[in-house]
Amino acid sequence: MIPVQLIIEGLYSYQERQTIDFKSLTEAGLFGIFGSVGSGKSSILEAISFALYGETERLNRQDKRSYNMMNLKSSKSYIEFDFINFENKKFRITREAKRNSKNFSDVKPSSVVLYEDQNNKWIPLDHTDIKKINGNLSYENFKRTIIIPQGQFKEFLELGATERTNMMKEIFNLQRFDLQNNVSVLSAKNRSELDQLEGQLKGFEEVNEEQISNQKETLQLENQKLELIQIQFKQIGEKYQQLKNLKEDFELLKKKKEDFEKLSVEKTEIDILDTQTELFDQVFRTFNPIIIEKNKLQKEIESHQKDKENQTKILLETEAEFKSLTEKLSAILPKFAALDQSKIQENDLNLILQMLKFSDEIEILKDRTKKGSEKVQEVEANNKLIEKKLTELAQETEVLKPKKLESTLIINVGNWFLEKKNLSESFQKQTEKTDQKKAEIEKISAELKPFEINIESFKNDFKTQIDALEIQKKELTEKQKHLEVQQKLSHFASELHDGESCPLCGSLEHPNVVEFDDVNSELNELQKQIENLENQKQEIQKKSLEIEKILDRQIIFEEQLKFEEEILKQIQINVQNHTQNFIWKEFNSENETEFEQKRLQSFEIEKQIEQISQNFSQEQKNLEKERETLDYYNKALEKFRLDEAKKAEQIKTNESNLKIMNWKDYEEKAIVEVEESYQKLAQSNLETEQNYQNLIKKEKELSPKLAEQKTIVSQLEKRISELEKEISDNENLIKQSLTEQNFTDLIEVQSILSQKIDIQETRNKIQKFRIDFETLKNGISELETKLKDFSFDEEQFSVVEIQFKTIESEVKIANDSVVKISSEIERLEKEFKKKGNLLVELSKLQKRADNLKVMTNLFKGAGFVQYVSSIYLRQLCDHANVRFHRMTRNQLSLQLNENNDFEIVDYLNEGRSRSVKTLSGGQAFQVSLSLALALAESVQANAKSEKNFFFIDEGFGTQDLESVNVVFETLMSLQKENRIVGIISHVEELKEKIPVSLNITKDEERGSLIEIS
């Protein structure tokens, strides 16, 4: 994350809105934030953390954070933070909280919005989860790797092993190595598949090649049996089919004769139905259209008569309304005729009213013009005084400029003397360190003298002695074993009795029992000799280990001496080069006091020039302001005069436009009186015109409506007359049709039509009956002819049928047996093949189960994650030691113990390890800084960002001057590694060394103020 800009307002001690542009700070690579205690330095980091994560180090939600974070003189707090993430995308996040105007202590929680810069436009995002755009970094790990708050610098160093492992898991995404669940899922799946496969194979126990071969032999026998039965079935089948066909023909003849008798009975009813259908068809075609037409005409005339009654009523109402409208129009017509003359009078009154208003405004403008002229004269006098003062200030500046030294020259020479002082101090201290290392090496060499050894060959000498002792010990051990066997045999011999079995050979008789001497004393002596040899061996090993430790310390101190001598040599070279770099002839490189006097004198002159410049700028602003005021007053005066002339001209124009009234008659009257007369006349004219227009409009709308209504009533009367004639013609036609069809009246016809016969369906029914009747009759005749020479024996047919069904059943049984055996062979062959495939798959799954068991043990209890985490921690430790060694002059080192806890290796105390809690405050800061830098590097490298940012709050107060220099050199070297480092401190030595910084001052009235220096 790279900061771009921070805006804060109403936060802690920041009352006014303050803006920090980080561009010039981050370009420098190393920058600082300085100020007195309580000025608001740490609040900048809190503002960034709160903007991103909504969390702060000082306050939590239970502490009424919104209220306590807001400045007590402010009604709102605002934070706006722009930054670039690891993907080089630009984002902005804002947080704003407001105080309740009615309740001072009620501050609502801040509202937060997250934006992304897309094509130079801030587009709000649909979430505020900063972890998504900040490399999945939580707040806790953000303050350990990027911004380290005050008092939290040693937190990572002192974390417990579990918490540190969890932190490494989150930062470096080590969850991807937690494969326990994955392996468990795979193992369970494999076990399930294995169980299913074993269950399937239980059903294949009887499937084998021998069973398949037996089934094939059985199939061959069944096929032969089936062929013989099929020959017999064919012979009997032909005979059975002939008798069956004959039986069917005789049964069919009998059935048709029975059906023919039924149809003969129905024929009489069909003939009657045929007659009724023809009569209905004739009457329907003749009378149905006429009757329908009669009903239609009757309904239509009834509807028209009803419409005529309604329309006649509407016509009478319209005629009454039209008559009333005509009377109102006649009454208003004389007043409307005089409207033009009344409007002229209205217009004249309006012009006179305007003239009266213009007269009053002219008097006001004359008074304002008089006052404005006096103000212009006053401003012109002030302008002359300011111009005179500006000339005097410019002259003072020209006198002081030649006496001032260039700021670049002062900085360069001052830096040279400061560097000379630092080099001298460094040379002195480095010389002391070198002498100290030499003394320590001599002291270690003195520790080796009592051992009287040859350093080059002492290891081989000790090894030779140990090997000789081992040979003696081996010989004594062999002898000891021989005596122990003899002692055991002596024990067995003493326990032998006749009739009891020997524990070695099992014999019940013991004629010649061996006798042994007592060897206990000899065994005890051998044991003492072996123990003595072992003690000698341990003594030699202890002595060798002690010598090796001393030599290791000597090597470490020799390397440290070499390192310190190289540093001393480099300091000497730097001193020589620095002396040659003094190129300023106006100063003496040996006289720093003279330079300091000139520098202070130049600073004093520069302050005077700066004060004069500020006064000059202020006077220029005053002059500009006075000129703007003068210009404003002149423009106002000109506008007053123009407005006065315009209004006088308008009065003349209005007077010339009067047509009836005279201006002199109204010149002295009050505006209110004239306005009242004008309003009454205007209202009367408006009402007259509106009423007349409304009446004319209604007349135009009502006249065509009245004519239309008269036409509608006339047309309805005409249509009713036409319908009455059509009804009369229809009745004559009905009478004529009754006569022609020989009917007495219409009731007889309606009786026939009430039958509602479906003519087409009935005719189809009759036709179908006649066809069925003739078809059945012809079929009986044909069957009688066909069966004339044949007879049917039911008993013979029964015998043949039984024979046929018996042989048919035998064929079916034989065929089913063949099919069943064939299917069984096919099934067995498929099952046998499937069994082979299942056995192959079973072997694979069993092998996979063994592998998964090994993997389960490997990943059990997240052990693999802890192992990977320990690797990352050790790499982190190695990276941190690169800087920690440099800061401690190779005296201390950081390492991890078997519990993954940090320990310190102290090379000044024989390289022994001790707890990090034993470090001094300065040493704890050094190791914490080294760890934090290493951790930040790892995080940024993991995020693959081009640049990375690191911020430290305090910590330098625990360092002496030399340590501050070492830490500063370390931080300066980070610029070469494309790192950006920010420091918050009140240590003056750092302020002088850091090229760019923010200075925080606290004003009692305005709160904390920020300026870049």
Side-chain angles (χ1 to χ4, degrees), residues 277-305:
T277 302
E278 293 301 323
L279 176 62
F280 178 83
D281 183 34
Q282 181 181 355
V283 171
F284 183 84
R285 283 187 283 105
T286 302
F287 288 97
N288 193 59
I290 302 172
I291 293 171
I292 291 172
E293 181 66 19
K294 177 185 176 184
N295 295 334
K296 178 183 175 185
L297 291 171
Q298 192 66 40
K299 288 181 181 179
E300 189 174 354
I301 196 170
E302 289 174 359
S303 174
H304 281 28
Q305 286 173 347

Side-chain angles (χ1 to χ4, degrees), residues 165-214:
T165 299
N166 292 335
M167 174 183 169
M168 301 297 285
K169 284 171 64 177
E170 179 181 325
I171 291 177
F172 298 106
N173 191 25
L174 300 185
Q175 293 89 342
R176 66 185 188 275
F177 296 111
D178 189 0
L179 304 176
Q180 181 180 0
N181 291 336
N182 296 355
V183 174
S184 297
V185 171
L186 290 174
S187 182
K189 182 181 178 183
N190 192 76
R191 182 67 260 169
S192 176
E193 292 177 357
L194 198 58
D195 291 342
Q196 292 179 10
L197 201 57
E198 289 174 349
Q200 291 178 22
L201 283 169
K202 287 181 180 179
F204 293 91
E205 294 176 352
E206 302 297 328
V207 178
N208 51 59
E209 292 182 347
E210 182 181 358
Q211 187 180 17
I212 295 172
S213 177
N214 294 336

Side-chain angles (χ1 to χ4, degrees), residues 653-670:
T653 302
N654 285 9
E655 186 177 4
S656 65
N657 289 331
L658 294 175
K659 295 180 179 179
I660 299 175
M661 298 182 177
N662 192 344
W663 163 241
K664 293 181 179 180
D665 296 339
Y666 291 90
E667 192 171 4
E668 300 301 327
K669 287 188 177 182

Side-chain angles (χ1 to χ4, degrees), residues 416 419-420 423 569-584:
W416 189 90
E419 182 65 19
K420 179 184 177 183
L423 288 172
K569 184 178 179 182
Q570 184 61 45
I571 292 173
Q572 289 174 335
I573 295 170
N574 292 343
V575 170
Q576 294 173 1
N577 293 337
H578 187 67
T579 304
Q580 294 172 1
N581 289 337
F582 193 85
I583 58 174
W584 302 281

Side-chain angles (χ1 to χ4, degrees), residues 14 50 63 93 135 286 394 605 643 927 982 988 993:
Y14 291 90
F50 186 66
D63 296 327
I93 189 164
T286 302
I605 293 171
D643 289 347
V927 70
E988 289 299 323
K993 293 175 179 291

Side-chain angles (χ1 to χ4, degrees), residues 8-68:
I8 50 178
E9 177 185 356
L11 187 75
Y12 290 125
S13 59
Y14 291 90
Q15 182 178 343
E16 299 179 1
R17 177 165 291 203
Q18 301 291 307
T19 301
I20 302 175
D21 185 358
F22 283 97
K23 185 176 181 182
S24 59
L25 301 176
T26 55
E27 285 177 351
L30 176 64
F31 65 91
I33 298 178
F34 297 99
S36 60
V37 175
S39 61
K41 303 186 297 298
S42 299
S43 298
I44 294 175
L45 295 194
E46 286 226 8
I48 294 175
S49 299
F50 186 66
L52 292 173
Y53 290 94
E55 298 285 348
T56 64
E57 195 60 26
R58 284 189 261 182
L59 301 170
N60 55 38
R61 290 184 177 88
Q62 287 72 33
D63 296 327
K64 294 178 66 177
R65 180 165 54 199
S66 298
Y67 169 79
N68 287 310

Side-chain angles (χ1 to χ4, degrees), residues 12 123 278 286 349 398 654 722 771 779 861 880 923:
Y12 290 125
I123 307 300
E278 293 301 323
T286 302
L349 275 175
E398 292 302 322
N654 285 9
E722 291 174 352
I771 291 171
Q923 291 171 332

Side-chain angles (χ1 to χ4, degrees), residues 254-270:
K254 181 180 179 183
K255 178 71 170 55
K256 285 189 175 185
K257 285 181 178 180
E258 291 173 354
D259 293 341
F260 185 75
E261 289 178 1
K262 293 178 182 178
L263 290 179
S264 298
V265 174
E266 291 180 15
K267 188 172 183 304
T268 304
E269 296 176 359
I270 292 298

